[in-house]
Amino acid sequence: MRFLFLLVLSSFSAIGQNSLHLHLQDTNKESLPFATILLKKSADSSIVKGMNTDENGDLRVSKLPLGKFTLTIQSTGLKSIKLNLEEITADSKIELGIITLSPLSTELAEVKVTATKPFIERKLDKTIVNVENSAMAAGNTTMELLERSPGVIVDKDGNISLRGKSGAKVMIDGKISYLTGADLANYLKNLPADQISQLEIMANPSSSYDAAGTGGIINIKLKKNSNIGLNGSANATFAQGIYARESAGVNLNYRKNGWNWFGNGSVINRTLLEKNNLVRNFRAQNEVWENSFAYKNENQSTQLKGGVDWYFSKKTTLGILVSGNFNQYTLRDGLNKTTQNTTTGDALFRLNTINNVGNPSQNYAANFNVKHTYDSTGRELTIDLDYARFADNSTSNLKSQFLTGNFKPLRVDSLLINDAKSFVDQYSFKLDYVIPSFLKSKWGTGLKSSYVQTDNDLRFQGKNEGDAQFKFLTGQSNQFIYREQIHAAYLNTERAIGKLSYQLGLRGEWTAADGISEAYTSNVKDSTFHRDYAQLFPSAFIQYDYSQKHSFGFNYSRRIDRPNYGDLNPFVFFLDNYTFKVGNPMLTPQLTNSIELSHTFLGAFSTTFGYSHTTNVITEILKQDTEARKSYQTTANMAERTNYSLGFSLPIPIKKWWTNNTDIYFNRAELTGKIENTALSPARNMFYINTNHIFTLPKDFRFEIGGNYFTGGLESAFIFGAGGALNLGIQKTMLNKRGVLRLNAQDVLFTSNPNVYIKYGDLDIVVRPRQDSRVVRLNFTYRFGNMSIKGARVRATGLDAEKSRVKTK
């Protein structure tokens, strides 16, 4: 801590340093965000530093190299310019003022762009995956895109882990997604990768982000357009797995007279085959119970997003953003077979459960944003007001057939109807204030308050076949209401002192939560709880540039994971009479401290060592009533979890036309705790490799081959086996660069479904999932209108961690 204090103190006493500032605009006096600026040596024109203007068209840099240099300024569709700079000294203050770029041509077809972003980029605090032009991204879903991203593993239930750490949070354009668990998995499976520009992978986020998310953050940045007029794109995809899948989408942007209107939408129809086999060994009873099912899941999804930015003045922008998702999940005549066998294979008992599910759900969200820039230094204030609502209405009908081992009826069939309604309302206020040059450092501070209410109502009705009417089952039915408020404040500072640069932050959060579980019978008492706690979350990022070739980094963060709203529900969801899932209203938050050491060679090749320690771990576990032969999944707090990781990133340019990026990780996970009276201490090592090769071919063809492989590891309290995937893709650019035709194949060898092993206490279970993961897709995308239109602002809204915890099943 003394070292961190000295770094902060140095912000007040360090001497000055050189700097450069300019503002870039076009001939219509519209700012040019994210333009490329190259600093080159005057002697040989070799590139020394690459830079980009910010979203306001400004460039502010410091700690420039000393000597004589030129500046090349580029922006797509505009003429590049070259400026000769005065000799840069240690105290140079270069102010270039406003620079205007003129149009290159009125016809897009005459513009030839020869430079492309690398598929994977490394930054101080994040890894960036540029997926916009990837052939393997076209026609895929976002979940499939995450599965092939460096360091990311998606398990059989759609849970996402990052560098071996579970609990990774997913953000969309800087805001945490609405959903988690099965709901988040379904959303990502229905979000087309064609709408995505970049993935930002942050193993240790800074204090400016919500403290929630001990497993890191993955930010999904949607495509934006970039001057005056109308433009957009349309795409369509046909895919074939076991069943056909179709999707179509459109993206529009119109900008004129200080107003920018934008919107996009997509329609998806996905039919999947979900297969699973579960074997439970009751060794003391000399029995083996086998459960198997093959479900045809039908998913229809419509997603809409729209808004407007009003550039009220050069310093003030107002914006409104609304979005909605409408989803229908249907399972027709799903058959789940359970067989009780002896260890010699003789069938003793059979249970067939026929399941029909209808699950419509809707998500609505609205954001009002104000951004004000005070002066040319970039001092700015941002305010966000947010509201979001999630509504889920699931109905399932289960018919249970009880048979002898010889398929003879054992008793009359039973019928069960399950109605589960869930409503989540979320409100948020967020304020962020940035001072770029205060006390020789950049400072940021902010406040946030949020309020969430969930209302979950679960009702069961049952009867035997032949009975006149259903009976309301009060003992199994329940209503759970949860209210939570979180208030937070943070302070960040960052500074470069010679070869040393750092960012330090501190976030404080106070949480108050109340829950009540209301029974539908007087024989069962209502249960309530109240929680009230405050926590501090420091973070630190330190980098030392030893030389032009070698750079060293140190990251530290403390973060929290609060229980998902759905995991708190004491509801019971049935697969059959012997296999089900139960919520746990007694869950408490988990806390994680993470440290990361890194070395970067030549600004590209990196080695990273990571360590994290989590207490009060929120863990998915299985419990078993051996006498009744019932197994059920729930979520509980365990003692602690420790993760060690060693990673290598190898972006190797093999040839001018052949680029490659390979990530290799070694990970060890250790979990300790108790499940009821059984001590538990599973530990596993995992080797993981992810590689992607891009071949630029003549006549605007591009071929990609990539894949990943992992040896198995530990997820929650479960051990999973080895797996991986081989992916292929090819694309052809046509129609004057406006059309792109892509063909890709995912999981060609059908190897991405590892087995899961659960063995502790009296549990001895093997799960063999076989998802419909081998898919071939054909996609066509066409861009129309003025391709140089500046798009809508990408902004983070206020409902961050709260949205991430919606989970209803």
Side-chain angles (χ1 to χ4, degrees), residues 123-181:
K123 303 293 184 182
L124 173 64
D125 58 345
K126 68 186 70 173
T127 298
I128 299 176
V129 183
N130 295 300
V131 300
E132 186 165 1
N133 297 313
S134 171
M136 288 195 294
N140 282 327
T141 68
T142 301
M143 181 66 84
E144 292 160 342
L145 187 61
L146 288 174
E147 289 175 344
R148 66 192 60 172
S149 297
V152 180
I153 294 179
V154 181
D155 71 9
K156 64 180 181 62
D157 298 319
N159 298 311
I160 300 170
S161 60
L162 180 58
R163 296 186 186 176
K165 295 190 296 182
S166 59
K169 300 296 182 182
V170 175
M171 304 178 75
I172 308 293
D173 279 344
K175 59 178 181 178
I176 294 290
S177 67
Y178 296 84
L179 313 169
T180 58

Side-chain angles (χ1 to χ4, degrees), residues 31-205:
S31 299
L32 294 175
F34 315 116
T36 300
I37 299 179
L38 303 175
L39 185 69
K40 301 180 179 180
K41 290 183 179 180
S42 298
D44 57 6
S45 296
S46 61
I47 298 176
V48 177
K49 187 178 182 65
M51 302 163 286
N52 295 98
T53 56
D54 62 18
E55 63 179 10
N56 299 311
D58 289 308
L59 173 70
R60 294 180 179 83
V61 292
S62 58
K63 203 178 65 172
L64 295 166
L66 308 183
K68 292 185 177 182
F69 301 91
T70 63
L71 212 61
T72 300
I73 304 174
Q74 305 169 335
S75 184
T76 303
L78 302 173
K79 292 181 180 179
S80 300
I81 63 172
K82 179 180 178 181
L83 301 176
N84 293 314
L85 300 179
E86 297 180 359
E87 184 172 354
I88 299 177
T89 66
D91 298 320
S92 295
K93 305 293 182 183
I94 304 173
E95 179 62 54
L96 297 180
I98 299 175
I99 298 176
T100 302
L101 299 185
S102 58
L104 180 63
S105 173
T106 58
E107 294 294 330
L108 182 67
E110 297 177 9
V111 179
K112 182 178 181 180
V113 181
T114 58
T116 59
K117 292 183 179 180
F119 183 67
I120 296 178
E121 295 180 273
R122 304 289 172 180
K123 303 293 184 182
L124 173 64
D125 58 345
K126 68 186 70 173
T127 298
I128 299 176
V129 183
N130 295 300
V131 300
E132 186 165 1
N133 297 313
S134 171
M136 288 195 294
N140 282 327
T141 68
T142 301
M143 181 66 84
E144 292 160 342
L145 187 61
L146 288 174
E147 289 175 344
R148 66 192 60 172
S149 297
V152 180
I153 294 179
V154 181
D155 71 9
K156 64 180 181 62
D157 298 319
N159 298 311
I160 300 170
S161 60
L162 180 58
R163 296 186 186 176
K165 295 190 296 182
S166 59
K169 300 296 182 182
V170 175
M171 304 178 75
I172 308 293
D173 279 344
K175 59 178 181 178
I176 294 290
S177 67
Y178 296 84
L179 313 169
T180 58
D183 297 308
L184 176 60
N186 288 333
Y187 172 75
L188 295 176
K189 289 175 182 177
N190 288 320
L191 178 63
D194 306 89
Q195 297 184 8
I196 296 172
S197 172
Q198 289 181 336
L199 298 178
E200 293 182 337
I201 301 173
M202 294 170 276
N204 291 316

Side-chain angles (χ1 to χ4, degrees), residues 599-612:
H599 168 251
T600 303
F601 179 66
L602 294 176
F605 303 92
S606 65
T607 303
T608 304
F609 172 76
Y611 166 84
S612 68

Side-chain angles (χ1 to χ4, degrees), residues 660-699:
N660 162 55
N661 194 94
T662 298
D663 285 273
I664 300 173
Y665 288 97
F666 299 91
N667 183 79
R668 178 171 177 81
E670 301 173 351
L671 180 69
T672 61
K674 279 189 175 182
I675 297 179
E676 296 178 336
N677 296 320
T678 302
L680 189 67
S681 57
R684 278 294 183 276
N685 299 319
M686 182 181 72
F687 168 78
Y688 169 85
I689 181 171
N690 182 87
T691 185
N692 190 75
H693 298 256
I694 301 175
F695 303 86
T696 302
L697 305 177
K699 299 187 181 298

Side-chain angles (χ1 to χ4, degrees), residues 588-602:
T588 56
Q590 67 178 26
L591 292 166
T592 298
N593 287 280
S594 299
I595 296 175
E596 188 173 273
L597 302 173
S598 64
H599 168 251
T600 303
F601 179 66
L602 294 176

